[in-house]
Amino acid sequence: MNDTQPRIETDRLILRPFTQRDADAVMRLAGDREIADTTLNIPHPYKEGMAEDWISTHREGIESGDSLTLAITLTDTGELVGAVGLTVQKEHSRAELGYWTGRQYWGLGYCTEAARALVEYGFDKMELNRIYASHFSGNTASGRVMEKLGMKHEGIMRQHVRKEGSYVDLVIYGITRKQYA
Ligand SMILES: CC(C)(COP(=O)(O)OP(=O)(O)OC[C@H]1O[C@@H](n2cnc3c(N)ncnc32)[C@H](O)[C@@H]1OP(=O)(O)O)[C@@H](O)C(=O)NCCC(=O)NCCS
């Protein structure tokens, strides 16, 4: 593991930077309508070239320390399951956690396993003081992942974002370094 090529291993998963070779799988998994429905920044339809463009932004984020986006892959087969990432606000030593997993992999604990490892990495290696996350109200599965990570429900920001023309409430969860310890 180093600063530009972070690699995190868990019981069943390897988290590692995306490469352009992942683009087809990203398009197939993230291109699912159900992924776009509960995320703010994943477009639908997910067009040719979007995965390549997205992946090409990751390196700069990792090198500058402004973000860390990792591919969630199965240790046994190497297949791509999804993505997990931290967007850092350095002046506050805090980061926002985000994630998605392909629909065929839902409910198998992969998101929780990956996000738990990244939260640990964020506190231990990136020396963050706080990690937070938000989900659209109604996205119970995502809220459940946040709970399983030990994050606390902190509140609801009413109509905080506009999604496809409608205002959506954001449910906020967070954990501080002190709570984590
Ligand atoms: C949210 C998401 C990442 C969860 O991924 P996952 O790999 O299925 O997550 P896990 O298996 O680790 O955990 C899911 C938990 O939610 C629970 N869950 C799933 N659907 C649920 C529902 N409709 N109501 C209540 N709980 C639900 C599961 O039972 C599990 O909890 P458990 O371990 O206590 O049984 C995945 O559904 C996803 O990618 N959704 C679309 C994109 C998205 O919403 N990203 C997050 C944006 S904030």
Side-chain angles (χ1 to χ4, degrees), residues 107-126:
L108 299 172
Y110 290 141
C111 181
T112 306
E113 188 170 322
R116 185 174 282 139
L118 190 59
V119 166
E120 181 182 348
Y121 186 87
F123 283 125
D124 292 352
K125 304 279 192 254
M126 296 165 74

Side-chain angles (χ1 to χ4, degrees), residues 122-124 127-130 175-181:
F123 283 125
D124 292 352
E127 299 182 342
L128 295 169
N129 179 58
R130 164 175 165 79
I175 184 168
T176 62
R177 166 178 286 279
K178 201 169 165 190
Q179 288 169 327
Y180 181 73

Side-chain angles (χ1 to χ4, degrees), residues 9 13 27 36 61 90 133 136 140 146 150 163 173:
E9 294 186 15
L13 305 171
M27 188 173 162
K90 283 186 200 155
F136 291 177
T140 322
M146 293 171 197
K163 171 77 180 175
Y173 277 79

Side-chain angles (χ1 to χ4, degrees), residues 38 99-101 106-109 111-112 134 139-142 144 148:
T38 52
Y99 43 70
W100 56 265
T101 53
W106 288 2
L108 299 172
C111 181
T112 306
S134 67
N139 189 357
T140 322
S142 186
R144 182 75 195 118
K148 289 194 287 178

Side-chain angles (χ1 to χ4, degrees), residues 114-174:
R116 185 174 282 139
L118 190 59
V119 166
E120 181 182 348
Y121 186 87
F123 283 125
D124 292 352
K125 304 279 192 254
M126 296 165 74
E127 299 182 342
L128 295 169
N129 179 58
R130 164 175 165 79
I131 297 175
Y132 69 104
S134 67
H135 68 78
F136 291 177
S137 63
N139 189 357
T140 322
S142 186
R144 182 75 195 118
V145 170
M146 293 171 197
E147 278 169 10
K148 289 194 287 178
L149 297 176
M151 290 180 152
K152 301 293 175 213
H153 180 270
E154 296 183 340
I156 298 175
M157 296 206 280
R158 301 285 173 200
Q159 302 190 7
H160 193 67
V161 293
R162 185 162 22 204
K163 171 77 180 175
E164 292 171 1
S166 300
Y167 295 110
V168 180
D169 294 350
L170 281 193
V171 182
I172 310 296
Y173 277 79

